[in-house]
Amino acid sequence: MDSFAEPRPAPDTPSDLAAVRAQVASLEDSHRAQGIPLSGRIIHLCHYLPFQAALARPPSTSKPPSPPATPPAKPADIDAPLADDDEEHELKKWRLTVRYGHSAMVSGITSLAATHDQIVIGWTGDIDAAPLASGLSATSAPTSSPPEREQVERVPFANVSAEERTALEKILTEHRMRDEPEDGKPITYVPVWLEDTVAHGHYDGYCKQTLWPLFHYLLWQDVATEYASADTHWPAYAKANRTFADRVAEVYRPGDLIWIHDYHLLLTPQLLRSALPEAAIGLFVHTPFPSSEVFRCLPRRKEILDGMLGANLICFQTYSYSRHFTSSCVRVCGYEITSAGGIDVQGHVAAIAYCPVGVDAERVAKDTFRPGIQAKLEALRALYEGKKIIVGRDKLDVVKGVVQKLRAFEKLLQDYPQWIGNVVLIQVTSPALSDSPKLERQVSEIVAHINGEYGSLDFIPVHHYHQTINKDEFYALLSVADLGVITPLRDGMNTTSMEFVIAQEPTKRSPLVLSEFMGISSNMGDALQCNPWNIGEVAAAMHRGLTMSDEEKASRHRNLYKVVTTHTSATWAAMLAKMLLAQLGRLNMARQTPPLPRETLTEHYTKAKKRLFLFDYDGTLAPIVKVPSMAVPSEPTLAALEALTADPRNVVYIISGRDGEFLEQHLGHIRGLGMSAEHGGFIREPGSTVWRNFTENLDMDWMGEVLEIFKYYTERTTGSHIEVKKSSITWHYRSSDPEWGLFQCRQCQDLLENNLARKRPIEVLVGKKNLEVRPMAVNKGEIVKRILYFNPDAEFVFCAGDDKTDEDMFRALLLFNGGGESEKAFLEPPLSVTLLAKESTTKFEPVELAISRDAVFTTAVGHSSKRTLAAWHVTTPEEIVEHMHQLFNPQPNGHDEEAKSNL
């Protein structure tokens, strides 16, 4: 999905909700028919539960007003287990009220109850305190308004007893939200309990002071009132994510789908991947995602990206956000982009997609006809009779562009003076999560300036209300508007724009001015889109909207209304289920490779009379490095190879893509070590100093043609270079711009495969930051067959590799096709034997191998979900070396168990 090679894909959005649900059902039926487990449940991780909890306590006359209560002085003072009456008393202490915010996400989750059982896991939020006499009960009470809630006293986390937590958890198992379908499947709410310091360090700290500004193209010091460190609250963020992951592990069942929502929980996918390797995990990022040049400023950038990449599917609001994320993975971490646009992390592939959120269109439409709205609507019409009404409603936050909007309105009055006295701007700014006195003062000064400059005794151009308005006032304001202006500097999903369209359906069908930097803008092409930084452009858009003909208004509104009422929050939620189900059964989730069993490996090694060890070099015995010449073997690796080759029962080979000169320089001093260079092009037998060439009888004239093609791309790709070997030729772009290098690699690969490879006996291989061309008859698998053919009495084989070329080795070791344990394996004379013999193949007969099925240990280095033919896996080259040391120097059981637990 790099910006050079990939066209913008169209989002997979069926025309209606019924179509999406039908596709979900079809996928589930198909998976069950294939034996893929599905539980029918979806687990959602949200920062908050969708309600606010209030806890009441009986009044205490003995408790001092200020100091904490005295600890129990005797056993009788300690709480006893709850009796039935005590439990009923604990239940009555709790009251749940609907929580403001995230209405689109909550309504989307609720809609899935029509088809799936669900579990919603979230933080309880701060617990409100209230006296028992207020009549609290464990039922949903009417929602209190935010201004009222700000005055409520909080109950510290430490003061909520274990019995009270248990009581709330019991209430939540039976709790139903107001909007849940009556005939729907159950939604179970599971609270996450966080200590106050962790909860607020996580949310008020790292989320709001570091990640949120960064994702909206601001750095943390740009929004801080004092010196700010981006890492101050990192421990709290990491701990909160760990707590969420642990909570999921407690309720998870095989076959569950897991969806993690938003930037509060970006580490959780990787934590869950480690705890639940088989789980299907999706991550939806509701906020924008910045370009890689902005994201790379984050000190914990790699930890955040690796955390996100633990998911099987990462979904964003727009294509551009997904492209920014992909670019960050490539540029910051150096990860590869797959041909399907996913990110490959040591074999685990995270798919990347985008799907914008919608609103609950039916609920919004019903809300616009609430009984209290019409009276307020008529009052607004009478108050501003004879004037055009422009409406804006935003949080008073720097990225919402309120300052720029006010300046654009002033520009409208300057450039189009006919509007003075004929248009008013009603701007409502709800309080942001964090106060900004500087911004409030700036807005107030601009409003006062405009009203002073263009107002009169009977005309006030700007009416600014810095308050939270109730639902009736909000919809009355949207319905009465002649123009909606929503111009944030950067925004993910803005529900007000969609609510405006629905509210206008029964009234004026007025146009809408939108910022082009909103996540929803790409879907709402019939809005008047503009750059909010260009105040002249915004002013012109306002003028055009105010003077638009009725026909154009109707046409634009009709198209916008269709978008808003078709792609709703319910459609979005169903699409998430569909996209994650589509990942099930794909190669990157088809099979999790188990970890290499140390005890079983040692057992077979010990009893075997002859053993074969076949190792790749780069990425297997030595880590991948940017400069190939720096990949030198470590002291433990050399010691392990020397110890293995010293045993006469062992036959040890290094089978590498490196040339013979490099292998001899670093490993040639080890007596008894066999080596194969250039992916099987050359071989040096153990104890010999002579390299034998497999390509001397092959047509190698193609190398000149390939070299010319590689030179063409090298000239056009700064940082790339060509490596010419005796049997192959490789183009490297590891030091190039990663996205441009990948684009050029794919262009070159296409040219080679569609032109030269059809006429010549060659194959084109895409490696890690390189493109290699080699003869078809030469590969690592042929070398493995040769070694097996000349060592048929081997009773133990250990073969390790990390990349695509090593799959040829694993394929060559698939010796047993049936399921019987007593089955014998036979090997035909391989090409690698007949080529060097220069004789007819009739001279060589098939051989019977002594190896048994369970004594072949093919091992891939990388993630357990890596697509591989290997039977086992380890995570790092260091683990390969540890296993080698374990074979010839076994540790005591206690140490062995400890070592195993660290793998």
Side-chain angles (χ1 to χ4, degrees):
M1 200 176 290
D2 60 280
S3 55
F4 300 103
E6 301 292 339
R8 173 179 174 144
D12 185 9
T13 52
S15 56
D16 56 58
L17 179 60
V20 189
R21 287 178 174 170
Q23 292 176 0
V24 169
S26 176
L27 279 170
E28 290 178 330
D29 292 341
S30 174
H31 291 335
R32 290 190 176 102
Q34 297 174 39
I36 298 175
L38 288 176
S39 67
R41 298 198 313 176
I42 301 177
I43 299 176
H44 297 274
L45 274 75
C46 313
H47 174 236
Y48 282 117
L49 289 175
F51 41 75
Q52 176 69 36
L55 176 63
R57 301 174 181 276
S60 173
T61 56
S62 61
K63 181 180 178 181
S66 298
T70 305
K74 53 185 179 180
D77 291 331
I78 301 175
D79 292 336
L82 290 178
D84 290 342
D85 291 343
D86 295 328
E87 182 175 359
E88 183 67 22
H89 174 72
E90 295 296 331
L91 294 175
K92 288 183 177 179
K93 289 183 177 182
W94 291 99
R95 180 182 66 184
L96 304 179
T97 55
V98 178
R99 184 185 296 277
Y100 276 88
H102 304 291
S103 59
M105 180 185 72
V106 173
S107 65
I109 292 173
T110 302
S111 71
L112 284 173
T115 55
H116 292 80
D117 293 344
Q118 294 183 97
I119 296 176
V120 177
I121 299 176
W123 178 43
T124 59
D126 289 315
I127 305 297
D128 290 348
L132 189 62
S134 65
L136 298 186
S137 63
T139 59
S140 290
T143 309
S144 57
S145 65
E148 293 171 354
R149 286 191 29 73
E150 290 173 2
Q151 307 303 318
V152 176
E153 181 185 350
R154 309 297 188 192
V155 178
F157 168 80
N159 292 355
V160 182
S161 68
E163 291 79 10
E164 289 166 338
R165 294 181 210 168
T166 302
L168 179 60
E169 292 179 9
K170 182 175 181 180
I171 291 169
L172 294 180
T173 59
E174 302 172 357
H175 180 73
R176 292 182 73 87
M177 294 289 288
R178 179 183 55 197
D179 295 330
E180 289 183 34
E182 293 183 3
D183 57 346
K185 298 190 176 184
I187 301 177
T188 303
Y189 300 95
V190 177
V192 173
W193 299 97
L194 296 174
E195 298 174 6
D196 293 334
T197 53
V198 173
H200 292 284
H202 165 251
Y203 183 63
D204 302 323
Y206 201 77
C207 287
K208 286 303 174 186
Q209 295 180 25
T210 301
L211 289 182
W212 191 91
L214 182 79
F215 284 6
H216 291 80
Y217 287 76
L218 297 171
L219 298 184
W220 39 94
Q221 69 267 21
D222 296 333
V223 296
T225 56
E226 54 188 35
Y227 171 76
S229 168
D231 268 355
T232 301
H233 300 288
W234 172 257
Y237 185 81
K239 187 172 182 179
N241 274 256
R242 167 62 67 185
T243 305
F244 271 84
D246 292 343
R247 200 66 161 130
V248 175
E250 293 173 10
V251 302
Y252 176 80
R253 293 202 309 244
D256 286 348
L257 303 180
I258 301 174
W259 268 107
I260 300 166
H261 292 273
D262 224 359
Y263 66 101
H264 314 90
L265 302 171
L266 297 182
L267 302 181
T268 306
Q270 181 57 48
L271 296 170
L272 285 177
R273 176 65 54 215
S274 300
L276 307 169
E278 305 283 346
I281 302 170
L283 170 66
F284 190 89
V285 182
H286 292 256
T287 62
F289 197 90
S291 75
S292 60
E293 291 303 303
V294 173
F295 183 81
R296 70 193 311 167
C297 299
L298 184 67
R300 299 285 180 170
R301 57 193 186 179
K302 190 174 188 305
E303 290 92 330
I304 293 292
L305 291 176
D306 284 339
M308 297 173 71
L309 290 167
N312 301 103
L313 173 65
I314 305 171
C315 196
F316 297 88
Q317 294 270 12
T318 70
Y319 168 71
S320 61
Y321 299 162
S322 68
R323 184 171 60 82
H324 293 163
F325 173 77
T326 300
S327 179
S328 296
C329 292
V330 172
R331 294 179 178 278
V332 173
C333 299
Y335 294 139
E336 296 277 356
I337 304 175
T338 68
S339 58
I343 303 296
D344 189 332
V345 184
Q346 297 182 337
H348 167 72
V349 177
I352 311 298
Y354 72 101
C355 180
V357 182
V359 294
D360 186 348
E362 289 185 11
R363 180 189 59 79
V364 173
K366 290 177 182 177
D367 285 344
T368 59
F369 291 99
R370 288 161 61 99
I373 292 179
Q374 189 61 33
K376 291 181 171 58
L377 179 62
E378 295 298 335
L380 287 169
R381 283 175 176 166
L383 184 61
Y384 300 107
E385 186 178 2
K387 297 179 177 61
K388 295 283 189 178
I389 302 172
I390 300 176
V391 167
R393 188 253 197 171
D394 309 271
K395 283 184 180 178
L396 190 58
D397 199 304
V398 63
V399 300
K400 297 302 182 181
V402 177
V403 168
Q404 287 76 9
K405 184 193 299 185
L406 291 170
R407 288 175 175 160
F409 181 71
E410 181 182 12
K411 183 72 170 172
L412 172 72
L413 300 180
Q414 287 177 353
D415 293 354
Y416 307 95
Q418 66 268 31
W419 289 116
I420 298 176
N422 294 311
V423 66
V424 295
L425 169 62
I426 304 176
Q427 176 64 50
V428 178
T429 54
S430 57
L433 292 171
S434 56
D435 293 333
S436 177
K438 180 180 178 181
L439 181 59
E440 288 183 32
R441 185 169 59 251
Q442 188 179 11
V443 168
S444 297
E445 289 173 355
I446 296 174
V447 170
H449 166 72
I450 296 173
N451 288 339
E453 187 72 21
Y454 299 98
S456 61
L457 290 176
D458 59 350
F459 172 64
I460 301 175
V462 181
H463 297 258
H464 176 226
Y465 303 97
H466 182 50
Q467 63 189 61
T468 299
I469 59 176
N470 62 40
K471 188 173 287 189
D472 288 353
E473 293 171 327
F474 173 61
Y475 285 119
L477 199 59
L478 296 186
S479 300
V480 79
D482 294 291
L483 181 68
V485 179
I486 303 170
T487 52
L489 307 181
R490 190 72 58 172
D491 209 351
M493 201 283 281
N494 187 296
T495 59
T496 304
S497 58
M498 292 178 276
E499 290 167 327
F500 177 87
V501 173
I502 297 172
Q504 283 287 322
E505 171 67 11
T507 56
K508 299 181 178 180
R509 303 189 177 185
S510 300
L512 179 64
V513 175
L514 283 187
S515 164
E516 65 187 50
F517 299 127
M518 296 168 60
I520 197 65
S521 295
S522 58
N523 271 21
M524 303 184 74
D526 282 277
L528 300 174
Q529 298 193 14
C530 57
N531 177 358
W533 294 99
N534 186 340
I535 60 174
E537 183 181 343
V538 178
M542 289 180 182
H543 176 70
R544 182 182 174 189
L546 293 171
T547 57
M548 187 178 291
S549 67
D550 291 340
E551 293 77 12
E552 185 178 357
K553 285 182 184 179
S555 173
R556 288 177 176 271
H557 175 82
R558 182 169 55 252
N559 295 334
L560 289 174
Y561 187 75
K562 181 179 179 181
V563 169
V564 171
T565 56
T566 300
H567 192 75
T568 64
S569 57
T571 312
W572 163 78
M575 281 297 302
L576 294 191
K578 176 198 165 185
M579 289 190 292
L580 190 53
L581 282 167
Q583 296 302 313
L584 291 170
R586 290 187 178 177
L587 290 177
N588 64 312
M589 289 190 66
R591 182 175 73 96
Q592 301 285 333
T593 310
L596 183 63
R598 179 170 293 189
E599 292 181 357
T600 306
L601 181 73
T602 304
E603 177 188 347
H604 283 279
Y605 173 84
T606 303
K607 68 182 182 183
K609 296 176 183 177
K610 188 173 186 179
R611 310 125 173 176
L612 297 183
F613 287 89
L614 313 169
F615 298 106
D616 173 43
Y617 182 74
D618 290 287
T620 303
L621 295 181
I624 298 291
V625 293
K626 195 163 189 176
V627 181
S629 61
M630 300 300 292
V632 298
S634 64
E635 288 299 326
T637 301
L638 293 173
L641 290 173
E642 289 171 353
L644 288 177
T645 54
D647 189 331
R649 292 177 293 177
N650 295 340
V651 177
V652 186
Y653 273 87
I654 303 296
I655 304 176
S656 173
R658 297 279 189 162
D659 59 27
E661 183 180 351
F662 178 91
L663 296 178
E664 284 192 337
Q665 177 186 353
H666 295 288
L667 303 170
H669 64 283
I670 302 177
R671 299 182 60 184
L673 179 65
M675 291 184 281
S676 173
E678 301 188 24
H679 297 297
F682 296 83
I683 189 168
R684 198 188 84 168
E685 307 287 353
S688 172
T689 58
V690 178
W691 286 94
R692 305 186 69 183
N693 185 357
F694 287 98
T695 64
E696 59 187 8
N697 296 327
L698 299 176
D699 177 12
M700 302 297 288
D701 292 342
W702 53 266
M703 290 191 71
E705 298 176 66
V706 173
L707 180 61
E708 289 303 313
I709 293 174
F710 279 173
K711 283 181 178 179
Y712 174 87
Y713 282 95
T714 302
E715 291 171 359
R716 288 156 179 78
T717 312
T718 304
S720 65
H721 68 277
I722 303 169
E723 180 184 10
V724 180
K725 303 174 186 177
K726 295 177 182 177
S727 65
S728 65
I729 182 168
T730 306
W731 182 68
H732 296 272
Y733 63 92
R734 184 170 296 277
S735 299
S736 305
D737 178 276
E739 291 181 281
W740 177 243
L742 178 61
F743 170 72
Q744 292 289 74
C745 174
R746 289 177 177 171
Q747 295 290 307
C748 184
Q749 177 190 4
D750 182 68
L751 177 63
L752 290 168
E753 290 178 342
N754 292 317
N755 292 277
L756 196 59
R758 294 184 177 185
K759 300 179 291 186
R760 297 288 195 170
I762 60 175
E763 60 181 337
V764 182
L765 300 175
V766 180
K768 294 180 178 178
K769 305 288 185 182
N770 65 66
L771 189 65
E772 181 177 16
V773 182
R774 70 184 186 190
M776 294 184 68
V778 174
N779 60 64
K780 291 183 177 183
E782 284 297 321
I783 291 297
V784 168
K785 291 178 182 178
R786 175 186 173 87
I787 296 169
L788 270 177
Y789 188 84
F790 287 121
N791 295 278
D793 54 339
E795 299 176 342
F796 171 93
V797 175
F798 181 82
C799 178
D802 74 303
D803 67 11
K804 295 175 184 177
T805 62
D806 300 316
E807 294 298 312
D808 292 329
M809 295 198 293
F810 303 148
R811 187 177 292 105
L813 290 170
L814 296 175
L815 304 167
F816 302 90
N817 297 321
E821 293 187 6
S822 61
E823 181 185 354
K824 295 291 184 180
F826 294 87
L827 185 65
E828 295 289 335
L831 190 61
S832 53
V833 172
T834 59
L835 274 177
L836 289 185
K838 299 181 182 180
E839 298 286 344
S840 170
T841 56
T842 56
K843 180 180 177 180
F844 300 97
E845 299 293 333
V847 297
E848 180 180 339
L849 304 179
I851 193 76
S852 63
R853 181 194 301 272
D854 55 358
V856 179
F857 293 87
T858 51
T859 306
V861 181
H863 198 277
S864 63
S865 64
K866 184 176 186 175
R867 291 147 50 180
T868 179
L869 295 172
W872 310 99
H873 95 278
V874 296
T875 346
T876 63
E878 289 75 17
E879 288 185 48
I880 291 287
V881 177
E882 288 176 15
H883 280 288
M884 292 162 60
H885 280 278
Q886 174 67 23
L887 293 178
F888 59 79
N889 184 27
Q891 300 293 326
N893 289 337
H895 182 84
D896 183 36
E897 291 299 318
E898 180 183 355
K900 283 200 312 182
S901 68
N902 292 329
L903 294 182

